[in-house]
Amino acid sequence: LLRHASETEVFWHDSVLNPALDYGRANWTDAHVMWSPKGSYLATFHQQGVALWGGPDWQRRSRFPHANVRLAEFSPCGRYLLTWNGVEAERDNPKEPVGIVVWDVFTGKKLRGFLGLKAAEEHHWPIMKWSPDGKYLARKGDDMVSVYATPGMGLLDKKSIKIEKVSDFQWSPADNIFAFWTPEVGNTPARVALMEVPSKQEIRQKPMFNVQDIRLMWQKQGHYLSCKVDRTNKGKKGSYPSNFEIFCPHAKDIPVEVLDLVAKETKAEGTKETVVAFAWEPKGHRFAIVHGEAPGKYDVSFYSMEKKPGTQGPQLLHKLENKACTSLYWSPAGNNIVLAGLGSTLNGSLEFYNVNDAETYSVQEHFSCTDLEWDPSGRFLCSWASYFRNKIENGYMIWTFYGKELAAGPVDQLFQFLWRPRPASYLSPEEETAVLRSFKEYRDRFEREDAELREAQKSGKAARRKQLRDEWKQYLETCRKRVEEEAELRASVRPEPETDEEYEVIEETVEEIVELKEEVDKSRKMITSDDERD
């Protein structure tokens, strides 16, 4: 999906053919757009509220009236929608709040309203956070976390969870467990804890000292929770102000592994190495860290949480030195990662890297690139230059996972690029593994079909078919307009209204067998040059 200038357009993507426009519309939205978690709906934002669109004809399926709506968040299951219009709590009606509203997507019914943020409160989106199954919606308050149960939206056990000085919390992506942390207060150390819902039991906690800040980062499968702990530097030579405390919720007794990065001292006195980026592998047990002193001199280290006999803590797999990298983008399928150098100094350097084989596929560049996003399959990556961050040279480029350019184009005032999400696979992990193992058996056939499709495109057959279809659609539209324009003239000539009952439809079917021939198709082609695809 591309949103640029006043246009919003949805395209079909094919690794062989160029992107084909499926539906486009001017002024489709007043602000941004977003997909539902399974790609069933496209949400557009308007002054009156949010509208959902879907189906093969992209018709409006539902509306949620919420004046001046700014942001929205679907529950992971796609059943519920939370909208926020920015009204401050002080200006809202406590009895009938309109700052935050929760909706049932299937029925369009409003479930409950909540007060928005206070005027002095710092804004972090989402304000309220969904549990991974959509059964609960939680919100951080003063010295408490309030958990509400769907669909009634009542407070769980009719009371909030008291957590003194709670700074932040994050739900596990896989289980109804949330992690939270509290800062140091006097002689009381900071701590990170895991709480299970709905029992409200703390299943693990760890105190930490000399803490300045903590950032919570879950692995997508919920196997691990990384806590990036920024500590106060006591001035000791060789000390490093940050380390990682990694919880393992799916392991027995929930052990906590510690990773300390050794600092590199520079010539400038007091300057130390910093952590620039951290990212978990979505499927697997590895993570990557970008750390170093200056852009262009950063190191990228890869670690594994799988232990070898006689070892402790995360295991260093390998380290890449002096990389032009500021951001990490793992493929949703795992293994492949893009080391991206974004910003004014690195200008869109993209290194496509294979972690399993510890080798670089290729190094590419998208000048002035500001954003990257993998498609749900992990086979394609899009890089684009957003109008929000760069007013010139807006456009996008689509790459394979190994860095081959498939499509590119300049797009004036490009605001958004979105891949359509896919529902979760119905295959079990064992079945997915079996498919991958047998893929080589089908590779030759797939490559042959792709080659035939490319040849058909080169020959102009696909373009000719598209031209004929467009001409036919244009002719039908001309006829439709002519019928509407002549409606009054027909009515004046024939006073009686026309009805279908006045006509008798006679259908005749004539069949003629020219030739009958039977053949066995051994190639079992799925796509041929006569296919209707463009």
Side-chain angles (χ1 to χ4, degrees):
L1 180 145
L2 291 177
R3 186 172 71 87
H4 59 99
S6 62
E7 301 287 335
T8 302
E9 299 173 325
V10 181
F11 292 83
W12 284 107
H13 169 67
D14 191 289
S15 60
V16 178
L17 305 176
N18 292 326
L21 180 65
D22 182 67
Y23 186 80
R25 186 169 173 178
N27 302 313
W28 198 356
T29 180
D30 294 340
H32 59 285
V33 297
M34 64 184 296
W35 291 104
S36 63
K38 298 180 180 179
S40 304
Y41 304 105
L42 178 67
T44 57
F45 290 73
H46 310 271
Q47 186 176 0
Q48 299 86 354
V50 175
L52 298 187
W53 311 76
D57 50 359
W58 294 101
Q59 293 297 310
R60 187 172 60 199
R61 303 301 177 184
S62 186
R63 290 185 295 180
F64 304 95
H66 194 183
N68 302 314
V69 62
R70 294 187 185 180
L71 295 171
E73 183 80 6
F74 282 96
S75 62
C77 62
R79 176 66 188 270
Y80 307 104
L81 177 68
L82 180 148
T83 57
W84 173 65
N85 66 358
V87 172
E88 297 170 351
E90 293 85 349
R91 297 190 295 110
D92 207 345
N93 180 3
K95 296 183 179 180
E96 291 292 335
V98 296
I100 300 173
V101 180
V102 180
W103 310 85
D104 187 316
V105 171
F106 293 171
T107 64
K109 179 183 177 182
K110 176 181 175 180
L111 299 180
R112 181 172 175 175
F114 295 89
L115 291 174
L117 296 171
K118 297 179 182 178
E121 193 172 356
E122 190 176 359
H123 171 214
H124 292 287
W125 184 258
I127 301 169
M128 304 180 75
K129 301 174 183 178
W130 293 101
S131 65
D133 57 5
K135 290 184 177 180
Y136 304 101
L137 181 64
R139 180 178 187 176
K140 181 180 76 69
D142 295 333
D143 298 330
M144 64 181 180
V145 173
S146 302
V147 180
Y148 302 88
T150 59
M153 299 310 301
L155 195 61
L156 185 63
D157 296 336
K158 298 183 179 180
K159 60 182 179 180
S160 299
I161 305 171
K162 298 297 182 181
I163 306 175
E164 187 175 356
K165 303 294 183 180
V166 59
S167 293
D168 189 22
F169 78 98
Q170 296 289 340
W171 284 100
S172 164
D175 310 291
N176 284 337
I177 297 172
F178 68 82
F180 66 89
W181 76 276
T182 59
E184 289 186 78
V185 179
N187 294 327
T188 304
R191 71 185 187 109
V192 175
L194 302 180
M195 180 170 288
E196 195 272 337
V197 176
S199 67
K200 300 183 180 180
Q201 296 296 317
E202 285 192 16
I203 58 177
R204 186 69 161 91
Q205 68 94 23
K206 183 177 181 181
M208 301 177 188
F209 296 90
N210 301 325
V211 172
Q212 200 172 43
D213 189 29
I214 297 178
R215 183 183 176 190
L216 308 173
M217 295 169 285
W218 282 96
Q219 192 257 1
K220 187 175 180 180
Q221 295 172 307
H223 294 323
Y224 310 104
L225 168 69
S226 170
C227 305
K228 178 180 176 291
V229 185
D230 295 333
R231 301 184 185 274
T232 55
N233 194 343
K234 298 301 183 180
K236 298 180 181 179
K237 186 176 181 179
S239 65
Y240 190 68
S242 298
N243 77 331
F244 292 89
E245 308 264 353
I246 302 176
F247 290 70
C248 306
H250 291 171
K252 183 178 180 181
D253 298 328
I254 313 181
V256 180
E257 306 289 353
V258 179
L259 174 63
D260 291 308
L261 296 176
V262 178
K264 290 182 179 179
E265 295 290 349
T266 64
K267 294 181 180 180
E269 185 178 354
T271 302
K272 291 183 173 63
E273 192 177 59
T274 59
V275 175
V276 178
F278 176 98
W280 283 106
E281 183 179 22
K283 290 185 178 181
H285 304 273
R286 297 176 292 196
F287 61 88
I289 303 175
V290 180
H291 53 98
E293 301 169 1
K297 297 182 180 180
Y298 292 142
D299 296 339
V300 182
S301 298
F302 295 90
Y303 291 86
S304 174
M305 292 298 296
E306 292 183 315
K307 295 182 180 180
K308 296 180 180 179
T311 61
Q312 293 183 350
Q315 305 299 304
L316 177 64
L317 300 177
H318 49 271
K319 181 166 71 171
L320 308 177
E321 296 184 347
N322 298 327
K323 289 293 181 179
C325 174
T326 57
S327 303
L328 300 166
Y329 294 88
W330 283 96
S331 162
N335 181 36
N336 301 313
I337 189 173
V338 172
L339 315 179
L342 307 181
S344 58
T345 57
L346 299 178
N347 287 327
S349 171
L350 307 176
E351 181 173 348
F352 294 81
Y353 189 75
N354 181 334
V355 181
N356 285 351
D357 299 331
E359 66 176 5
T360 297
Y361 290 125
S362 64
V363 178
Q364 307 294 344
E365 183 180 90
H366 183 174
F367 184 74
S368 299
C369 169
T370 59
D371 299 273
L372 284 85
E373 184 174 353
W374 285 92
D375 87 303
S377 71
R379 296 174 57 204
F380 309 105
L381 174 84
C382 179
S383 60
W384 75 95
S386 169
Y387 185 75
F388 290 121
R389 301 182 186 178
N390 187 2
K391 303 301 182 184
I392 59 175
E393 297 188 14
N394 301 143
Y396 72 94
M397 300 181 74
I398 297 179
W399 315 83
T400 63
F401 67 89
Y402 51 87
K404 177 184 177 182
E405 181 184 327
L406 294 178
V411 182
D412 292 336
Q413 298 184 33
L414 176 59
F415 298 119
Q416 277 184 281
F417 180 100
L418 297 174
W419 292 103
R420 187 175 187 174
R422 296 184 181 182
S425 173
Y426 289 103
L427 298 179
S428 65
E430 294 76 14
E431 291 173 327
E432 289 185 358
T433 302
V435 170
L436 292 174
R437 288 177 178 174
S438 60
F439 177 72
K440 293 182 179 180
E441 301 176 9
Y442 305 99
R443 179 182 298 172
D444 292 341
R445 192 182 81 187
F446 293 154
E447 290 180 350
R448 185 173 61 252
E449 292 168 355
D450 286 349
E452 292 176 353
L453 198 56
R454 292 190 188 97
E455 185 62 29
Q457 187 183 32
K458 291 180 181 179
S459 66
K461 293 181 180 179
R464 177 58 179 165
R465 288 197 298 269
K466 184 178 185 304
Q467 180 184 355
L468 292 174
R469 285 199 300 272
D470 292 342
E471 291 175 355
W472 173 248
K473 291 178 181 179
Q474 184 178 2
Y475 174 75
L476 290 179
E477 181 65 17
T478 302
C479 293
R480 184 188 64 79
K481 291 181 179 179
R482 182 180 175 185
V483 170
E484 293 176 354
E485 293 172 353
E486 297 178 352
E488 295 183 2
L489 179 60
R490 291 197 306 273
S492 63
V493 175
R494 179 172 179 166
E496 295 294 332
E498 296 182 3
T499 62
D500 293 337
E501 297 178 356
E502 299 181 20
Y503 300 94
E504 180 182 0
V505 179
I506 301 176
E507 294 184 358
E508 293 185 2
T509 303
V510 179
E511 296 183 357
E512 180 180 354
I513 300 177
V514 179
E515 181 181 3
L516 184 62
K517 185 178 181 180
E518 294 184 0
E519 290 183 353
V520 178
D521 185 3
K522 298 181 180 181
S523 64
R524 297 179 59 84
K525 297 179 181 178
M526 297 172 63
I527 301 177
T528 69
S529 59
D530 294 328
D531 188 73
E532 286 298 321
R533 300 173 63 183
D534 298 331

